[in-house]
Amino acid sequence: MTTAAGPAKGYKALASHINSKELPWFEWFPGHYLKLCKLNPITGQIITFIKSQTGVSLAVHFHPGTVVVYTIQGAWTYDEGWVAEAGDVVFEVAGSTHSPRMCGREETIVLAIIEGALEFRDENGNVTFVENWQTLLKRYHDFCAKEGIQPVDITSFEPTSH
Amino acid sequence: MTTAAGPAKGYKALASHINSKELPWFEWFPGHYLKLCKLNPITGQIITFIKSQTGVSLAVHFHPGTVVVYTIQGAWTYDEGWVAEAGDVVFEVAGSTHSPRMCGREETIVLAIIEGALEFRDENGNVTFVENWQTLLKRYHDFCAKEGIQPVDITSFEPTSH
Amino acid sequence: MTTAAGPAKGYKALASHINSKELPWFEWFPGHYLKLCKLNPITGQIITFIKSQTGVSLAVHFHPGTVVVYTIQGAWTYDEGWVAEAGDVVFEVAGSTHSPRMCGREETIVLAIIEGALEFRDENGNVTFVENWQTLLKRYHDFCAKEGIQPVDITSFEPTSH
Amino acid sequence: MTTAAGPAKGYKALASHINSKELPWFEWFPGHYLKLCKLNPITGQIITFIKSQTGVSLAVHFHPGTVVVYTIQGAWTYDEGWVAEAGDVVFEVAGSTHSPRMCGREETIVLAIIEGALEFRDENGNVTFVENWQTLLKRYHDFCAKEGIQPVDITSFEPTSH
């Protein structure tokens, strides 16, 4: 199953290459930072890195769709009997509610693929606000405007060509 | 947005924790190895690690659905002008055809989230065989049977509890 | 492309047949009725018929994921310049907010395929409650319990065989 | 849950209205006709009406992703013990292979929502050709060119406004 080197003849890879070194981290909540990779304005899929300081938690939130989390560095837990360490994958079915707590010795960095939204809740279970592709795009654009950075079009799925 | 430690009160995280250290690598094609994490028997979603030796390529294949690739180690390219290095994300829209070539100095390891299938093609563009959740599950079960390992139910989305 | 009659040799269709005549309508809100077909407990996909009396509206709600609506009977509008009539399809991208108003002369019946949830909002834009695969399943089970009906397992994707 | 008429204040419905009367039927295979509604060039989702003459079958094909079929008129079967009639929904999990046979007294019309592709197979199970969002778009454009019709942009998910 090994082919000679070179692009597949007559085909297009239709691949968008996201060079993570070219995208910025920006503060999401105190102790939590985002590096957005892609936002799908049709389906609402969110592909983002999340970096969190040691010891912090993210407030309780609900996910109407699935979430896949790959842990790159550090460790975190929902305090349900397991800890996600570097190299682990966590799959969350639609309808999960949780509050991840960072429990590693260094900053925790994950790649998260979120279908739809994060809905933060108060102590009574009421939704306080909803984070989705639209609100995250605004956060990124606001950060770029403040820093004088030209934003990358992270909602585009055009193939990368250099 | 930081809460006290402990599980979110009254909620279930509905999360399946995949401890990557407990899952086996098995040979897929010469020079290429898989570590399957989850196979969704309803939607056909495939979540898998792929490890490839330096210098090898994977034969030309077509994807009817999307692919998200996170590069953990090494480097690879479609020879279309960019190289995916450790930390990068590649998003492939439905209908892509390509032959990834490993171009790093060490083994390349990626996490791939594939919707649907990989369809390998011969030099004339004809489909030689199709790899999907069903065929990959059989590969994993065959490997476990040969090695005398008890397979994990990677098609289950039940929450992890210890 | 026409084959002889009979099942495809050696293959399984893996199809779940939902006989709409065997599933019940139940009241959702005054003037609105649901007939649930399938709820996907992994992805959160909701496949349901919705029947609404003439002249009523459904309260303002937000969708974190996509919605596909096929209109079977009647007519409805978001008062944005078009009317969906019998035979029409409406595709809503993730992040839409709206209040459908029935504007036909007879009851409106639609088939809706909803990824994730419906989130109802008050006049200030605050989320009043969230409807998803879990809450809808409870509504269906509560209705069946009250009526003494044996519920169908609408979360199962096992192939139908008689 | 009933609101006053009028668009939801301050919100956008983000809805694309597909007036089925404005889209053309075109021949797909002898005895089978398509009316394409939407093709998602990112995910590969296909939303299409299919009309088939009485008594014909569609050749054996495989689906790498899910299929939802709503039967509008007529009847069809996979000859596995059930018949889909007008009003019924069929859900096919990823990896299904089948050959639908029309068994109603009138033309069969269905709405199909297909994730990814249809892969036609010969008697030996070999893939003869693959139909996906790209090939279907070409069929539609070829038909429009031949008939001198201006094609609608069925790959756009921009909201409809008149």
Side-chain angles (χ1 to χ4, degrees):
Chain A
M1 299 307 299
T2 297
T3 57
K9 286 192 187 91
Y11 293 119
K12 295 262 173 63
L14 301 180
S16 175
H17 170 234
I18 299 133
N19 183 334
S20 66
K21 291 177 283 299
E22 290 180 356
L23 287 166
W25 287 107
F26 62 89
E27 194 180 56
W28 187 23
F29 303 119
H32 303 279
Y33 301 84
L34 294 178
K35 182 188 280 198
L36 298 175
C37 290
K38 284 286 177 200
L39 300 171
N40 185 326
I42 302 176
T43 65
Q45 188 183 58
I46 298 159
I47 304 180
T48 188
F49 294 102
I50 308 172
K51 181 168 68 181
S52 301
Q53 294 175 353
T54 57
V56 301
S57 294
L58 191 62
V60 176
H61 57 277
F62 166 85
H63 285 283
T66 62
V67 183
V68 178
V69 182
Y70 173 71
T71 302
I72 296 167
Q73 177 185 299
W76 59 277
T77 181
Y78 290 137
D79 288 300
E80 295 195 338
W82 50 265
V83 170
E85 299 182 336
D88 290 355
V89 173
V90 173
F91 190 103
E92 302 168 9
V93 302
S96 65
T97 303
H98 47 239
S99 172
R101 180 174 66 85
M102 308 309 135
C103 57
R105 290 184 196 161
E106 53 185 347
E107 284 183 327
T108 295
I109 303 176
V110 304
L111 176 67
I113 301 173
I114 300 165
E115 301 292 336
L118 300 89
E119 305 178 12
F120 290 89
R121 303 209 165 176
D122 66 18
E123 292 176 5
N124 301 314
N126 294 318
V127 177
T128 52
F129 74 98
V130 174
E131 197 83 278
N132 73 341
W133 74 270
Q134 297 160 318
T135 61
L136 289 171
L137 186 62
K138 186 173 185 310
R139 284 182 187 273
Y140 174 56
H141 285 170
D142 287 351
F143 172 80
C144 289
K146 203 184 68 179
E147 299 292 320
I149 300 170
Q150 182 67 20
V152 174
D153 184 359
I154 57 175
T155 66
S156 167
F157 290 81
E158 287 298 305
T160 302
S161 57
H162 291 292
Chain B
M1 299 305 301
T2 297
T3 57
K9 288 192 187 88
Y11 292 118
K12 294 261 172 63
L14 300 180
S16 175
H17 170 234
I18 298 133
N19 183 333
S20 67
K21 291 178 283 297
E22 290 180 355
L23 287 166
W25 286 107
F26 61 88
E27 194 180 55
W28 187 23
F29 302 118
H32 302 279
Y33 302 84
L34 295 178
K35 182 188 281 199
L36 299 174
C37 289
K38 284 284 178 203
L39 300 171
N40 185 326
I42 301 176
T43 65
Q45 189 184 58
I46 298 159
I47 304 180
T48 187
F49 294 102
I50 308 172
K51 181 167 68 180
S52 301
Q53 294 175 353
T54 56
V56 302
S57 293
L58 190 63
V60 175
H61 58 276
F62 166 86
H63 285 283
T66 61
V67 183
V68 178
V69 182
Y70 174 71
T71 301
I72 296 167
Q73 177 184 299
W76 60 276
T77 181
Y78 290 138
D79 289 300
E80 295 195 339
W82 50 266
V83 170
E85 299 182 336
D88 290 355
V89 172
V90 174
F91 190 103
E92 302 167 9
V93 302
S96 65
T97 304
H98 47 239
S99 172
R101 181 174 66 83
M102 308 309 136
C103 58
R105 291 184 195 160
E106 52 185 348
E107 284 182 325
T108 296
I109 302 176
V110 303
L111 176 67
I113 300 173
I114 300 165
E115 301 292 336
L118 299 88
E119 305 179 11
F120 290 89
R121 304 210 165 175
D122 67 16
E123 292 176 3
N124 301 315
N126 294 318
V127 177
T128 52
F129 74 97
V130 174
E131 198 83 278
N132 74 340
W133 73 270
Q134 298 159 317
T135 61
L136 289 171
L137 186 61
K138 185 174 185 309
R139 284 183 187 273
Y140 174 56
H141 285 171
D142 287 352
F143 172 79
C144 289
K146 204 184 66 177
E147 299 293 319
I149 300 170
Q150 182 66 22
V152 174
D153 184 359
I154 57 176
T155 66
S156 167
F157 289 81
E158 287 299 304
T160 302
S161 57
H162 291 292
Chain C
M1 297 307 299
T2 296
T3 57
K9 288 194 186 88
Y11 293 118
K12 295 263 173 61
L14 300 180
S16 175
H17 171 233
I18 299 133
N19 183 334
S20 67
K21 290 177 284 296
E22 290 180 354
L23 287 166
W25 286 108
F26 61 89
E27 194 179 56
W28 187 22
F29 302 119
H32 303 279
Y33 302 83
L34 295 178
K35 181 188 282 197
L36 298 174
C37 289
K38 284 284 178 202
L39 299 171
N40 185 326
I42 302 176
T43 64
Q45 189 183 57
I46 298 159
I47 304 180
T48 188
F49 293 101
I50 308 172
K51 182 167 68 180
S52 300
Q53 293 175 354
T54 56
V56 301
S57 294
L58 190 62
V60 175
H61 57 277
F62 166 85
H63 286 283
T66 61
V67 183
V68 178
V69 182
Y70 174 71
T71 301
I72 296 167
Q73 178 185 297
W76 59 277
T77 182
Y78 290 137
D79 288 300
E80 294 195 339
W82 50 267
V83 170
E85 299 182 336
D88 290 355
V89 173
V90 173
F91 189 103
E92 301 167 10
V93 302
S96 64
T97 304
H98 47 239
S99 172
R101 181 174 65 85
M102 308 309 136
C103 57
R105 291 183 195 161
E106 52 184 348
E107 284 182 326
T108 296
I109 302 176
V110 304
L111 176 67
I113 300 172
I114 300 165
E115 300 292 337
L118 300 88
E119 305 178 11
F120 290 90
R121 304 209 164 176
D122 66 16
E123 291 177 5
N124 301 315
N126 295 318
V127 178
T128 52
F129 74 98
V130 174
E131 197 83 279
N132 75 340
W133 72 271
Q134 298 160 317
T135 60
L136 290 172
L137 186 62
K138 185 173 185 311
R139 285 183 186 272
Y140 174 56
H141 285 172
D142 287 352
F143 172 79
C144 288
K146 203 184 68 178
E147 298 293 320
I149 300 170
Q150 181 67 21
V152 174
D153 184 0
I154 57 175
T155 67
S156 167
F157 289 81
E158 287 298 305
T160 302
S161 57
H162 291 292
Chain D
M1 300 304 301
T2 297
T3 57
K9 286 194 188 87
Y11 293 118
K12 293 263 172 61
L14 300 180
S16 175
H17 171 234
I18 299 134
N19 183 334
S20 66
K21 291 178 283 298
E22 289 180 356
L23 288 165
W25 286 107
F26 61 89
E27 193 180 56
W28 187 24
F29 302 118
H32 303 279
Y33 302 84
L34 294 178
K35 182 188 280 198
L36 298 174
C37 290
K38 283 285 178 202
L39 300 171
N40 185 326
I42 302 176
T43 65
Q45 188 183 59
I46 299 159
I47 304 180
T48 187
F49 294 102
I50 309 172
K51 181 168 68 180
S52 301
Q53 293 174 352
T54 57
V56 302
S57 295
L58 191 62
V60 175
H61 58 277
F62 166 87
H63 285 283
T66 62
V67 183
V68 178
V69 182
Y70 173 71
T71 301
I72 297 167
Q73 177 185 298
W76 60 277
T77 181
Y78 289 139
D79 288 301
E80 295 195 338
W82 50 267
V83 170
E85 298 182 336
D88 291 355
V89 172
V90 174
F91 190 102
E92 301 168 10
V93 301
S96 65
T97 304
H98 47 239
S99 173
R101 180 175 65 84
M102 310 308 137
C103 57
R105 291 185 196 160
E106 53 184 349
E107 284 183 327
T108 295
I109 302 176
V110 304
L111 176 68
I113 300 173
I114 300 165
E115 301 292 337
L118 299 88
E119 305 178 12
F120 290 89
R121 304 208 165 175
D122 67 16
E123 292 176 4
N124 301 315
N126 295 318
V127 177
T128 52
F129 74 97
V130 174
E131 197 83 279
N132 74 341
W133 73 270
Q134 297 159 318
T135 61
L136 289 172
L137 186 62
K138 185 174 184 310
R139 284 182 187 273
Y140 174 56
H141 285 171
D142 287 352
F143 172 80
C144 288
K146 204 184 68 179
E147 298 293 320
I149 300 170
Q150 182 68 20
V152 174
D153 184 0
I154 57 176
T155 67
S156 167
F157 289 81
E158 288 297 305
T160 302
S161 58
H162 290 292

